[in-house]
Amino acid sequence: TQLLEQSPQFLSIQEGENLTVYCNSSSVFSSLQWYRQEPGEGPVLLVTVVTGGEVKKLKRLTFQFGDARKDSSLHITAAQPGDTGLYLCAGGRTNAGKSTFGDGTTLTVKP
Amino acid sequence: DVKVTQSSRYLVKRTGEKVFLECVQDMDHENMFWYRQDPGLGLRLIYFSYDVKMKEKGDIPEGYSVSREKKERFSLILESASTNQTSMYLCASRSGQGGGYTFGSGTRLTVV
């Protein structure tokens, strides 16, 4: 069974601070996705990374896929209250088909 | 704007009722999925489908069945609802070429 462990489980910070959340596994993934979920809504895809060592930026969010394609990180610069939500990572062994989801990091950004 | 639409946002059903949760996607995706999400347990896969009339069990299929008669529609059926099936149900679709999932907004089901 492929497992994805996310850390930290909960994170509460002040507006303007930087943060990093992690997604780790002992398995190799062909691709990895990050999602953000707001309360009462479905997760929304933020990014897909497929190449070991790949770095992608989405405004203040920076995503990195580990060289061995077993882990990933999400870094947020100058967090804003609108960044509040549950951040989920998901990985799959093939580019299609089902993915394994981590349990998520709940981020709260206080004004 | 591409979409996965779930028929109900909130649903209250009685124990023993047969419950149908409907999901429709407009992206011509081959793959469709049903998950449930519970606090502390994360997203758990119930069933998925790679093609019309095809279905595969996920991690927690007991008490559920699915139907995919058309490519765009994937239905989740609770044969006899029980209180432990109270949960947030999420439908998702994905292209057969890869990429991420597109999720619906979810159905919050309460079984009383």
Side-chain angles (χ1 to χ4, degrees):
Chain A
T1 303
Q2 300 170 271
L3 290 176
L4 278 170
E5 296 186 355
Q6 290 189 242
S7 61
Q9 188 176 359
F10 298 97
L11 189 55
S12 181
I13 61 171
Q14 293 295 134
E15 182 176 2
E17 292 184 14
N18 301 332
L19 67 114
T20 302
V21 298
Y22 300 92
C23 175
N24 296 300
S25 175
S26 57
S27 300
V28 176
F29 292 101
S30 62
S31 69
L32 192 138
Q33 290 82 37
W34 284 93
Y35 299 81
R36 181 170 67 218
Q37 184 179 20
E38 297 184 12
E41 298 292 332
V44 175
L45 179 67
L46 296 174
V47 77
T48 297
V49 286
V50 296
T51 305
E54 182 176 4
V55 176
K56 281 191 174 180
K57 293 194 174 184
L58 185 66
K59 297 183 181 178
R60 294 176 293 100
L61 279 60
T62 301
F63 304 86
Q64 184 161 7
F65 202 12
D67 291 341
R69 291 186 287 134
K70 292 182 179 181
D71 54 83
S72 181
S73 63
L74 159 59
H75 182 80
I76 301 179
T77 303
Q80 299 176 1
D83 296 325
T84 292
L86 175 68
Y87 288 82
L88 294 161
C89 66
R93 283 202 175 165
T94 60
N95 285 332
K98 63 177 182 173
S99 292
T100 299
F101 280 82
D103 287 343
T105 294
T106 299
L107 172 65
T108 302
V109 182
K110 300 176 184 177
Chain B
D1 203 16
V2 293
K3 269 190 171 179
V4 174
T5 303
Q6 294 186 230
S7 53
S8 305
R9 292 297 302 269
Y10 300 94
L11 215 50
V12 180
K13 295 292 182 180
R14 295 196 177 278
T15 302
E17 277 193 77
K18 191 169 186 176
V19 181
F20 294 85
L21 302 183
E22 305 288 344
C23 176
V24 177
Q25 51 100 357
D26 64 1
M27 295 162 284
D28 202 35
H29 282 171
E30 291 81 2
N31 303 326
M32 296 189 74
F33 307 83
W34 275 106
Y35 287 86
R36 61 177 286 178
Q37 186 175 33
D38 302 285
L41 296 177
L43 280 163
R44 293 182 291 168
L45 181 63
I46 304 171
Y47 267 96
F48 60 105
S49 169
Y50 287 130
D51 202 349
V52 176
K53 296 193 185 294
M54 299 194 66
K55 59 185 178 184
E56 298 278 347
K57 292 181 179 179
D59 300 319
I60 52 163
E62 296 78 19
Y64 303 94
S65 63
V66 290
S67 172
R68 194 165 181 201
E69 295 297 318
K70 294 185 177 180
K71 190 175 186 180
E72 66 270 20
R73 186 180 297 270
F74 193 34
S75 303
L76 179 69
I77 303 147
L78 285 66
E79 299 290 343
S80 177
S82 63
T83 54
N84 63 12
Q85 292 179 309
T86 290
S87 185
M88 173 71 140
Y89 288 87
L90 290 163
C91 175
S93 72
R94 183 182 205 175
S95 168
Q97 306 307 311
Y101 288 22
T102 300
F103 281 90
S105 298
T107 296
R108 173 74 63 184
L109 173 67
T110 302
V111 182
V112 298

